[in-house]
Amino acid sequence: MDVSASMAGGPIEALNAAMPEIQKAMLSDPTVGEIARVALVTFSDVARTVIPLCDLAEASIPEVMVESGTNFAAGFREAKSAIDSGLRSLPKGTPFYRPVVFFMSDGEHIAREDYRQALSELKDPSWKLAPEVVSFGLGDARKEALQEIATRFAFMAKDTDPAAAVKEIINALISSIRTTSRSFHDPNQADGLHIDAPSALFTPLPKMSL
């Protein structure tokens, strides 16, 4: 989650209000709670693992604060670290599905370093914990960057009100976690990632190709 200065006001308030809703989704649906483990990584000019990978139903939800600049690379490195430490902390032999990173930003990468190296390391197929990356943009986010960041699914929120767009993205995230978790218990559905981003609210961006 982007917590740079441009997220001040309504957007960060919407994010803080929405986090308990994700927790409620875990508590209200035993199937989701059994499968899903969630971490929260925030980034500005630096990145932090605000909530380590856990059963969110049992976690304490801290208030997220607005910080300063926007460094995608810091976010990607911290996400990789959160996945690695989170999954390796599970008891030996615990089975798990491929991790998913939901990336959300309302702006552009403005740090001096190129974020592509950190992104490449996060998505490196030779890393056995390499995640699916789903990108959501709002406000001044660049569509080309969202496409480049995602492994398969990239979306731009249609709502021009940043706070409303944040709420829509979080709702899409909750619904996607719920649908994906349930799919693992339904023999009629193929295992894999299911994204619920209604076309009325989001513009799907095609995967980039050379």
Side-chain angles (χ1 to χ4, degrees):
M1 300 290 186
D2 187 339
V3 294
S4 58
S6 58
M7 288 284 287
I12 202 71
E13 291 171 5
L15 176 58
N16 278 314
M19 286 306 299
E21 295 302 315
I22 303 178
Q23 189 175 49
K24 287 180 184 177
M26 305 292 126
L27 290 167
S28 64
D29 192 326
T31 300
V32 177
E34 179 185 344
I35 295 289
R37 295 294 178 269
V38 177
L40 174 61
V41 171
T42 63
F43 67 92
S44 55
D45 50 349
V46 297
R48 313 174 197 281
T49 298
V50 178
I51 302 175
L53 193 70
C54 65
D55 179 351
L56 198 62
E58 301 175 356
S60 174
I61 306 296
E63 182 179 4
V64 176
M65 307 298 290
V66 165
E67 298 179 15
S68 51
T70 308
N71 186 344
F72 289 178
F76 298 143
R77 284 193 293 267
E78 189 67 19
K80 187 175 189 295
S81 176
I83 291 170
D84 189 71
S85 60
L87 290 180
R88 293 187 188 283
S89 69
L90 296 173
K92 187 174 182 180
T94 302
F96 59 87
Y97 298 100
R98 185 180 182 187
V100 181
V101 170
F102 292 96
F103 172 90
M104 184 189 79
S105 178
D106 71 334
E108 297 185 41
H109 171 81
I110 59 172
R112 288 186 177 182
E113 67 173 315
D114 191 327
Y115 66 80
R116 292 173 181 82
Q117 179 61 37
L119 176 62
S120 177
E121 291 173 4
L122 175 66
K123 299 197 297 184
D124 184 355
S126 68
W127 181 41
K128 68 177 182 179
L129 305 181
E132 287 265 22
V133 182
V134 181
S135 60
F136 285 95
L138 67 147
D140 295 326
R142 289 179 57 247
K143 293 180 180 179
E144 294 81 8
L146 296 172
Q147 291 170 282
E148 184 178 39
I149 289 166
T151 48
R152 287 191 289 164
F153 302 105
F155 302 92
M156 189 72 186
K158 292 182 178 180
D159 203 315
T160 56
D161 175 14
V166 169
K167 291 178 184 177
E168 290 161 2
I169 291 170
I170 297 297
N171 285 337
L173 188 154
I174 292 171
S175 184
S176 298
I177 292 173
R178 181 181 290 120
T179 304
T180 299
S181 298
R182 287 173 176 168
S183 76
F184 294 119
H185 290 271
D186 185 351
N188 296 317
Q189 296 191 50
D191 288 354
L193 178 60
H194 296 261
I195 301 298
D196 293 329
S199 59
L201 302 177
F202 297 96
T203 300
L205 306 176
K207 185 176 180 180
M208 288 188 73
S209 59
L210 297 177

